[in-house]
PDB file of all heavy atoms in Angstrom:
ATOM      1  N   HIS A 592      77.290  20.906  -6.793  1.00 92.00           N
ATOM      2  CA  HIS A 592      76.826  21.965  -5.826  1.00 92.00           C
ATOM      3  C   HIS A 592      77.316  21.723  -4.417  1.00 92.00           C
ATOM      4  O   HIS A 592      77.877  22.652  -3.821  1.00 92.00           O
ATOM      5  CB  HIS A 592      75.285  22.132  -5.639  1.00 92.00           C
ATOM      6  CG  HIS A 592      74.699  22.907  -4.628  1.00 92.00           C
ATOM      7  ND1 HIS A 592      74.798  24.256  -4.647  1.00 92.00           N
ATOM      8  CD2 HIS A 592      74.184  22.509  -3.448  1.00 92.00           C
ATOM      9  CE1 HIS A 592      74.264  24.766  -3.537  1.00 92.00           C
ATOM     10  NE2 HIS A 592      73.869  23.630  -2.731  1.00 92.00           N
ATOM     11  N   HIS A 593      77.322  20.459  -3.908  1.00 92.00           N
ATOM     12  CA  HIS A 593      77.787  20.075  -2.678  1.00 92.00           C
ATOM     13  C   HIS A 593      79.326  20.107  -2.494  1.00 92.00           C
ATOM     14  O   HIS A 593      79.873  20.297  -1.513  1.00 92.00           O
ATOM     15  CB  HIS A 593      77.253  18.810  -2.169  1.00 92.00           C
ATOM     16  CG  HIS A 593      75.708  18.772  -1.862  1.00 92.00           C
ATOM     17  ND1 HIS A 593      75.214  19.573  -0.938  1.00 92.00           N
ATOM     18  CD2 HIS A 593      74.721  18.065  -2.479  1.00 92.00           C
ATOM     19  CE1 HIS A 593      73.890  19.437  -1.002  1.00 92.00           C
ATOM     20  NE2 HIS A 593      73.567  18.445  -1.808  1.00 92.00           N
ATOM     21  N   MET A 594      79.917  19.948  -3.620  1.00 90.00           N
ATOM     22  CA  MET A 594      81.333  19.959  -3.758  1.00 90.00           C
ATOM     23  C   MET A 594      81.954  21.476  -3.742  1.00 90.00           C
ATOM     24  O   MET A 594      82.931  21.735  -3.088  1.00 90.00           O
ATOM     25  CB  MET A 594      81.923  19.257  -4.940  1.00 90.00           C
ATOM     26  CG  MET A 594      81.778  17.720  -4.871  1.00 90.00           C
ATOM     27  SD  MET A 594      82.833  16.932  -3.721  1.00 90.00           S
ATOM     28  CE  MET A 594      84.449  17.244  -4.504  1.00 90.00           C
ATOM     29  N   GLN A 595      81.286  22.225  -4.307  1.00 89.00           N
ATOM     30  CA  GLN A 595      81.829  23.655  -4.581  1.00 89.00           C
ATOM     31  C   GLN A 595      81.218  24.749  -3.727  1.00 89.00           C
ATOM     32  O   GLN A 595      81.812  25.642  -3.315  1.00 89.00           O
ATOM     33  CB  GLN A 595      81.568  23.983  -6.114  1.00 89.00           C
ATOM     34  CG  GLN A 595      82.326  23.039  -7.053  1.00 89.00           C
ATOM     35  CD  GLN A 595      81.893  23.252  -8.506  1.00 89.00           C
ATOM     36  OE1 GLN A 595      81.199  24.179  -8.795  1.00 89.00           O
ATOM     37  NE2 GLN A 595      82.485  22.546  -9.475  1.00 89.00           N
ATOM     38  N   ARG A 596      79.891  24.494  -3.355  1.00 89.00           N
ATOM     39  CA  ARG A 596      79.206  25.690  -2.678  1.00 89.00           C
ATOM     40  C   ARG A 596      78.833  25.236  -1.197  1.00 89.00           C
ATOM     41  O   ARG A 596      79.276  25.933  -0.277  1.00 89.00           O
ATOM     42  CB  ARG A 596      77.937  26.095  -3.430  1.00 89.00           C
ATOM     43  CG  ARG A 596      78.277  26.524  -4.791  1.00 89.00           C
ATOM     44  CD  ARG A 596      76.981  27.019  -5.510  1.00 89.00           C
ATOM     45  NE  ARG A 596      77.296  27.583  -6.859  1.00 89.00           N
ATOM     46  CZ  ARG A 596      76.327  28.096  -7.672  1.00 89.00           C
ATOM     47  NH1 ARG A 596      75.087  28.107  -7.273  1.00 89.00           N
ATOM     48  NH2 ARG A 596      76.738  28.469  -8.921  1.00 89.00           N
ATOM     49  N   SER A 597      78.097  24.269  -1.045  1.00 88.00           N
ATOM     50  CA  SER A 597      77.678  23.954   0.404  1.00 88.00           C
ATOM     51  C   SER A 597      78.852  23.190   1.084  1.00 88.00           C
ATOM     52  O   SER A 597      78.860  23.177   2.339  1.00 88.00           O
ATOM     53  CB  SER A 597      76.452  22.977   0.269  1.00 88.00           C
ATOM     54  OG  SER A 597      76.748  21.765  -0.156  1.00 88.00           O
ATOM     55  N   LEU A 598      79.792  22.692   0.422  1.00 87.00           N
ATOM     56  CA  LEU A 598      80.898  21.962   0.951  1.00 87.00           C
ATOM     57  C   LEU A 598      80.525  20.820   1.833  1.00 87.00           C
ATOM     58  O   LEU A 598      81.295  20.405   2.824  1.00 87.00           O
ATOM     59  CB  LEU A 598      81.807  22.925   1.817  1.00 87.00           C
ATOM     60  CG  LEU A 598      82.348  24.244   1.049  1.00 87.00           C
ATOM     61  CD1 LEU A 598      83.186  25.047   1.981  1.00 87.00           C
ATOM     62  CD2 LEU A 598      83.160  23.848  -0.166  1.00 87.00           C
ATOM     63  N   ASN A 599      79.407  20.204   1.477  1.00 91.00           N
ATOM     64  CA  ASN A 599      79.030  19.080   2.170  1.00 91.00           C
ATOM     65  C   ASN A 599      79.547  17.824   1.387  1.00 91.00           C
ATOM     66  O   ASN A 599      78.875  17.145   0.648  1.00 91.00           O
ATOM     67  CB  ASN A 599      77.448  18.887   2.259  1.00 91.00           C
ATOM     68  CG  ASN A 599      76.998  17.806   3.189  1.00 91.00           C
ATOM     69  OD1 ASN A 599      77.747  17.019   3.619  1.00 91.00           O
ATOM     70  ND2 ASN A 599      75.666  17.830   3.448  1.00 91.00           N
ATOM     71  N   TRP A 600      80.820  17.595   1.545  1.00 92.00           N
ATOM     72  CA  TRP A 600      81.466  16.483   0.714  1.00 92.00           C
ATOM     73  C   TRP A 600      80.990  15.089   1.034  1.00 92.00           C
ATOM     74  O   TRP A 600      80.942  14.231   0.141  1.00 92.00           O
ATOM     75  CB  TRP A 600      83.013  16.605   0.889  1.00 92.00           C
ATOM     76  CG  TRP A 600      83.571  17.771   0.150  1.00 92.00           C
ATOM     77  CD1 TRP A 600      83.018  18.881  -0.138  1.00 92.00           C
ATOM     78  CD2 TRP A 600      84.919  17.912  -0.268  1.00 92.00           C
ATOM     79  NE1 TRP A 600      83.873  19.669  -0.764  1.00 92.00           N
ATOM     80  CE2 TRP A 600      85.135  19.098  -0.924  1.00 92.00           C
ATOM     81  CE3 TRP A 600      86.002  17.027  -0.198  1.00 92.00           C
ATOM     82  CZ2 TRP A 600      86.276  19.501  -1.423  1.00 92.00           C
ATOM     83  CZ3 TRP A 600      87.306  17.530  -0.742  1.00 92.00           C
ATOM     84  CH2 TRP A 600      87.377  18.727  -1.415  1.00 92.00           C
ATOM     85  N   GLY A 601      80.535  14.887   2.251  1.00 93.00           N
ATOM     86  CA  GLY A 601      79.970  13.591   2.605  1.00 93.00           C
ATOM     87  C   GLY A 601      78.789  13.246   1.755  1.00 93.00           C
ATOM     88  O   GLY A 601      78.579  12.117   1.213  1.00 93.00           O
ATOM     89  N   LEU A 602      77.804  14.160   1.635  1.00 93.00           N
ATOM     90  CA  LEU A 602      76.648  14.043   0.904  1.00 93.00           C
ATOM     91  C   LEU A 602      76.996  13.843  -0.543  1.00 93.00           C
ATOM     92  O   LEU A 602      76.445  13.078  -1.328  1.00 93.00           O
ATOM     93  CB  LEU A 602      75.626  15.138   1.088  1.00 93.00           C
ATOM     94  CG  LEU A 602      74.299  15.065   0.401  1.00 93.00           C
ATOM     95  CD1 LEU A 602      73.592  13.690   0.638  1.00 93.00           C
ATOM     96  CD2 LEU A 602      73.446  16.239   0.745  1.00 93.00           C
ATOM     97  N   ALA A 603      77.908  14.753  -1.058  1.00 94.00           N
ATOM     98  CA  ALA A 603      78.320  14.583  -2.405  1.00 94.00           C
ATOM     99  C   ALA A 603      78.882  13.224  -2.765  1.00 94.00           C
ATOM    100  O   ALA A 603      78.685  12.584  -3.806  1.00 94.00           O
ATOM    101  CB  ALA A 603      79.309  15.788  -2.777  1.00 94.00           C
ATOM    102  N   ALA A 604      79.777  12.719  -1.773  1.00 95.00           N
ATOM    103  CA  ALA A 604      80.265  11.332  -2.028  1.00 95.00           C
ATOM    104  C   ALA A 604      79.279  10.287  -1.960  1.00 95.00           C
ATOM    105  O   ALA A 604      79.298   9.302  -2.714  1.00 95.00           O
ATOM    106  CB  ALA A 604      81.258  11.070  -0.903  1.00 95.00           C
ATOM    107  N   ALA A 605      78.255  10.459  -1.145  1.00 95.00           N
ATOM    108  CA  ALA A 605      77.155   9.447  -1.084  1.00 95.00           C
ATOM    109  C   ALA A 605      76.378   9.482  -2.408  1.00 95.00           C
ATOM    110  O   ALA A 605      76.025   8.405  -2.886  1.00 95.00           O
ATOM    111  CB  ALA A 605      76.306   9.759   0.096  1.00 95.00           C
ATOM    112  N   LEU A 606      76.057  10.624  -2.945  1.00 95.00           N
ATOM    113  CA  LEU A 606      75.326  10.707  -4.218  1.00 95.00           C
ATOM    114  C   LEU A 606      76.255  10.035  -5.355  1.00 95.00           C
ATOM    115  O   LEU A 606      75.682   9.388  -6.147  1.00 95.00           O
ATOM    116  CB  LEU A 606      75.068  12.069  -4.549  1.00 95.00           C
ATOM    117  CG  LEU A 606      73.971  12.852  -3.648  1.00 95.00           C
ATOM    118  CD1 LEU A 606      73.949  14.431  -3.890  1.00 95.00           C
ATOM    119  CD2 LEU A 606      72.623  12.327  -3.799  1.00 95.00           C
TER     120      LEU A 606
END
Side-chain angles (χ1 to χ4, degrees):
H592 168 76
H593 290 303
M594 289 287 295
Q595 300 171 357
R596 297 185 181 180
S597 71
L598 302 182
N599 191 352
W600 285 24
L602 181 54
L606 292 170

